[in-house]
């Protein structure tokens, strides 16, 4: 499974990029510019600081937000709102992390999914490692 994640391509929409419409992708995407429309993805999505996304709905495996998002968010695995981000919309996800200094307005619905690891058959350190989120990694 780790090999699968490494094989995925990473696409970056630069700061000068403005995109309007429906965006569908299976790999990983980082938005640093402006996006208006709808995102339907099975890969991971990152909204960088300074990026502005206005969506009807944003769907991806995991979504990390450091910029501004207006619209509903649906992530199968997790949503992370980093310090300084602005999010206005409802969120559906299995796991969520909201840092300090986040402006958030909306409702949160937690999806009921089982972890990939049977927590009764592994050591606690191994289980914790299975749940590491991006902000735990040094940048």
């Amino acid at each position: 499974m780790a090999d699968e994640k490494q094989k995925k391509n990473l696409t970056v929409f630069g700061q000068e990029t403005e995109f309007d419409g429906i965006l569908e992708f299976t790999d990983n995407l980082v938005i640093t510019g402006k996006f208006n429309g709808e995102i339907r993805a099975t890969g991971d999505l990152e909204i960088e600081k300074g990026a502005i996304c206005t969506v009807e709905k944003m769907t991806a495996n995991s979504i990390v937000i450091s910029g501004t998002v207006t619209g509903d968010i649906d992530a199968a695995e997790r949503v992370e709102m980093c310090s300084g981000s602005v999010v206005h919309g409802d969120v559906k996800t299995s796991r969520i992390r909201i840092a300090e200094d986040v402006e958030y307005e909306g409702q949160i619905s937690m999806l009921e999914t089982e972890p990939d690891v049977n927590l009764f058959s592994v050591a606690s350190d191994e289980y914790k490692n299975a749940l590491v989120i991006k902000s735990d990694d040094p940048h």
Side-chain angles (χ1 to χ4, degrees):
M1 187 173 190
D3 290 340
E4 267 182 39
K5 285 195 175 190
Q6 288 176 351
K7 289 180 186 176
K8 287 195 173 198
N9 292 320
L10 174 65
T11 302
V12 178
F13 279 10
Q15 291 179 336
E16 301 299 318
T17 303
E18 292 188 27
F19 188 94
D20 293 313
I22 297 173
L23 181 62
E24 296 182 359
F25 61 92
T26 57
D27 286 337
N28 299 325
L29 175 68
V30 176
I31 297 176
T32 62
K34 293 182 181 177
F35 178 85
N36 294 301
E38 185 174 352
I39 296 175
R40 303 176 193 151
T42 55
D44 297 333
L45 175 62
E46 186 171 347
I47 311 301
E48 287 286 326
K49 186 175 184 172
I52 300 171
C53 293
T54 305
V55 296
E56 182 178 314
K57 187 173 186 179
M58 175 184 291
T59 305
N61 181 53
S62 72
I63 301 173
V64 176
I65 303 165
S66 298
T68 301
V69 174
T70 303
D72 293 343
I73 297 169
D74 192 343
E77 186 180 317
R78 69 181 172 99
V79 170
E80 182 173 352
M81 297 179 204
C82 301
S83 181
S85 62
V86 178
V87 180
H88 296 273
D90 296 340
V91 175
K92 280 187 194 172
T93 187
S94 297
R95 294 184 294 159
I96 189 162
R97 175 177 284 184
I98 303 175
E100 291 183 29
D101 191 31
V102 170
E103 181 183 318
Y104 175 68
E105 181 182 329
Q107 295 182 352
I108 297 174
S109 302
M110 301 304 292
L111 301 173
E112 293 183 24
T113 59
E114 304 219 357
D116 293 339
V117 178
N118 178 351
L119 45 116
F120 297 108
S121 68
V122 295
S124 62
D125 287 342
E126 187 178 341
Y127 181 70
K128 285 179 192 174
N129 289 337
L131 298 178
V132 168
I133 301 181
K134 179 181 186 233
S135 67
D136 293 335
D137 294 336
H139 292 296

